[in-house]
Amino acid sequence: MATTTSSFVFTNINGFRHGIGTQRSYRVIKAQSQSGVPKEQVVIVGAGIAGLATAVSLHRLGVQSLVLEQAESLRTGGTSLTLFKNGWRVLDAIGVADDLRTQFLEIQGMVVNSEDGRELRAFNFKQEDESQEVRAVERKVLLETLASQLPRDTIQFSSQLAKIEATSNGDTLLELVDGSKLLAKTVIGCDGIRSPIAKWMGFPEPKYVGHCAFRGLASYSDGQPFGPRVNYIYGRGLRAGFVPVSPTKVYWFICFNSPSPGPKITDSLVLKNQAKELVKDWSSELLNIVDSTPDDTVIKTPLVDRWLWPAISPGASAGRVVVVGDAWHPMTPNLGQGACCALEDSVVLAKKLARAIKSEDPSVEEAFRSYGAERWPRVFPLTIRANLVGSALQWENPVVCSVRNNIVIPKLVRLQPLLEHTNFTCESL
């Protein structure tokens, strides 16, 4: 039996939950096992992007779920994330994209500068790929939009998972720190980078890749002054970037090499000052953006990933337990694909699981194995590519950086091949 501590919760389960319109609901509501423990058909652990997108996708397909979340409310902290066309195709499929599009700017292209302010290269996304769509989206708004699509009481807050145990009939017993227990026929682990579900399944901890990032969301009450493009600045062992999110907000990051993640610092003002110190000799434009950021929105995170080696790493599922998004394949943000891949996972898994629940052919176990077999060739290469791109952009050697800035970026880099991974077909649910 594997025992671990999770930051996710279960409170009381109340009432029936209905699907949209006349859709038939396939969720077993508050069934009681012989031991008197409440039993659910589909339990999703984690109300982040992956968890909520999976719950909404299942809901669209007529399958209801219970989402367990650690916090007292949605964890709407953090800054923003960039969604390319594959992410938007999923949001279109589950019916929330148009609402989000009205709130966030479409990014037209990107420009790359050196640390001394020299423009190295500029790209237009539509010229490289006519179907491309790029927008930076506030994480808070994305989560709230997804959650608004779920029936009342789908998300249960404010308790903590203490133990996970497989039962003899294939169900999973979830024991909570308050002593409550829940028996789940199917468990979907969407519990993030440090996923207790993944640990219980035998996955190793994600590996630190050698650099950390400061992030923030600048706010301009009178309107932000930047055009709709991503701005990158490359230095030696240090890079930064910023992108308009909305008419009043701008997302920024500063990524720096560090032999270790360093101590955890919670004082936002200290983090803000550390970020500014790193780029104090760079463009005043970047420093002004950092200065325009509310202190309590600045965060620092170590960048990590997990490589899913064939025949070595555990599969995406174990019986009727499966992992999705960062819980399965955490990747560095260098390609902007972490959230996009989590969204892809959610619809692929939901379709397979809904088919299995409704027909029992294939079985849930087979549906999960099919999900893993389909998604692994997609997410493993992207994880490696994101890692390698980040490592190349974090070079410190002055000669190598000179070659990068004067030859590779201006003359050799083509954006279209770098965007091929954003091709993803997703039909409406």
Side-chain angles (χ1 to χ4, degrees):
M1 178 179 70
T3 302
T4 187
T5 299
S6 168
S7 53
F8 292 92
V9 305
F10 164 71
T11 57
N12 60 313
I13 307 172
N14 296 313
F16 288 81
R17 302 171 194 169
H18 302 286
I20 294 175
T22 58
Q23 286 181 325
R24 180 181 175 186
S25 175
Y26 286 85
R27 178 179 162 208
V28 177
I29 306 292
K30 202 176 180 181
Q32 296 288 328
S33 66
Q34 290 183 349
S35 62
V37 176
K39 186 173 182 178
E40 292 282 339
Q41 178 146 343
V42 179
V43 174
I44 297 172
V45 182
I49 294 170
L52 294 179
T54 302
V56 174
S57 297
L58 287 170
H59 182 55
R60 294 284 191 254
L61 294 167
V63 176
Q64 301 308 301
S65 59
L66 174 67
V67 182
L68 308 181
E69 168 54 42
Q70 64 171 347
E72 295 179 357
S73 60
L74 287 178
R75 291 173 292 124
T76 54
T79 54
S80 78
L81 48 99
T82 301
L83 295 180
F84 288 80
K85 71 176 180 181
N86 50 326
W88 288 104
R89 297 303 172 267
V90 174
L91 295 176
D92 275 322
I94 62 179
V96 300
D98 286 342
D99 184 32
L100 292 166
R101 285 188 177 102
T102 63
Q103 302 177 67
F104 301 106
L105 301 175
E106 182 169 6
I107 306 304
Q108 303 299 320
M110 59 182 279
V111 60
V112 181
N113 293 314
S114 62
E115 60 186 299
D116 59 8
R118 179 167 52 100
E119 183 176 307
L120 304 178
R121 191 78 177 273
F123 299 93
N124 182 292
F125 289 134
K126 296 292 187 183
Q127 289 178 356
E128 303 292 335
D129 177 0
E130 291 183 359
S131 64
Q132 189 58 252
E133 180 177 7
V134 185
R135 299 173 196 265
V137 175
E138 285 187 64
R139 185 177 182 275
K140 174 180 184 292
V141 176
L142 178 57
L143 291 182
E144 290 174 344
T145 301
L146 290 170
S148 71
Q149 304 299 306
L150 295 170
R152 183 181 177 184
D153 294 331
T154 295
I155 308 171
Q156 304 293 334
F157 298 104
S158 298
S159 293
Q160 189 172 29
L161 181 66
K163 185 185 297 184
I164 311 164
E165 181 179 352
T167 66
S168 59
N169 67 351
D171 292 341
T172 303
L173 181 65
L174 305 176
E175 185 176 333
L176 312 169
V177 294
D178 65 0
S180 302
K181 295 181 179 180
L182 174 66
L183 199 60
K185 187 171 183 180
T186 302
V187 175
I188 304 175
C190 301
D191 45 346
I193 290 174
R194 305 293 177 186
S195 166
I197 301 291
K199 183 177 181 181
W200 178 78
M201 291 172 61
F203 285 95
E205 285 290 316
K207 184 179 179 181
Y208 175 60
V209 300
H211 29 277
C212 298
F214 289 101
R215 296 182 174 98
L217 194 62
S219 181
Y220 298 81
S221 57
D222 296 327
Q224 55 85 6
F226 303 103
R229 64 181 187 179
V230 185
N231 298 267
Y232 290 116
I233 307 166
Y234 294 159
R236 287 161 43 187
L238 180 67
R239 59 189 158 116
F242 61 91
V243 57
V245 176
S246 69
T248 59
K249 294 184 179 180
V250 176
Y251 165 73
W252 59 268
F253 74 88
I254 298 171
C255 190
F256 63 100
N257 290 350
S258 178
S260 70
K264 183 176 178 62
I265 299 174
T266 57
D267 188 323
S268 297
L269 182 57
V270 171
L271 293 177
K272 188 174 182 178
N273 289 333
Q274 288 180 346
K276 290 172 62 178
E277 182 66 22
L278 287 170
V279 294
K280 63 182 180 181
D281 297 324
W282 287 17
S283 164
S284 60
E285 186 175 60
L286 177 60
L287 288 169
N288 290 337
I289 293 172
V290 178
D291 279 331
S292 300
T293 304
D295 293 344
D296 60 357
T297 69
V298 179
I299 60 174
K300 174 190 172 185
T301 52
L303 302 189
V304 302
D305 62 18
R306 178 191 291 132
W307 291 19
L308 304 173
W309 294 107
I312 298 176
S313 299
S317 64
R320 296 201 294 265
V321 179
V322 67
V323 281
V324 172
D326 284 346
W328 182 26
H329 50 74
M331 65 179 69
T332 57
N334 301 296
L335 298 177
Q337 286 299 298
C340 291
C341 282
L343 290 169
E344 291 180 14
D345 286 352
S346 69
V347 293
V348 172
L349 177 67
K351 288 179 180 179
K352 294 179 183 294
L353 178 57
R355 189 179 306 120
I357 289 175
K358 293 177 181 180
S359 67
E360 296 296 338
D361 184 22
S363 68
V364 169
E365 292 91 339
E366 289 172 342
F368 283 174
R369 286 193 292 269
S370 175
Y371 155 79
E374 178 175 335
R375 294 299 297 158
W376 179 86
R378 169 78 166 154
V379 298
F380 183 42
L382 277 177
T383 301
I384 296 176
R385 189 184 306 174
N387 182 294
L388 296 177
V389 167
S391 297
L393 295 177
Q394 292 296 134
W395 282 330
E396 295 184 3
N397 184 287
V399 175
V400 174
C401 289
S402 178
V403 171
R404 177 195 66 192
N405 289 358
N406 293 295
I407 298 176
V408 176
I409 293 176
K411 300 179 180 180
L412 300 181
V413 170
R414 294 179 58 233
L415 189 58
Q416 186 174 13
L418 297 178
L419 293 175
E420 287 181 355
H421 60 261
T422 65
N423 294 323
F424 178 73
T425 301
C426 186
E427 296 178 359
S428 173
L429 299 182

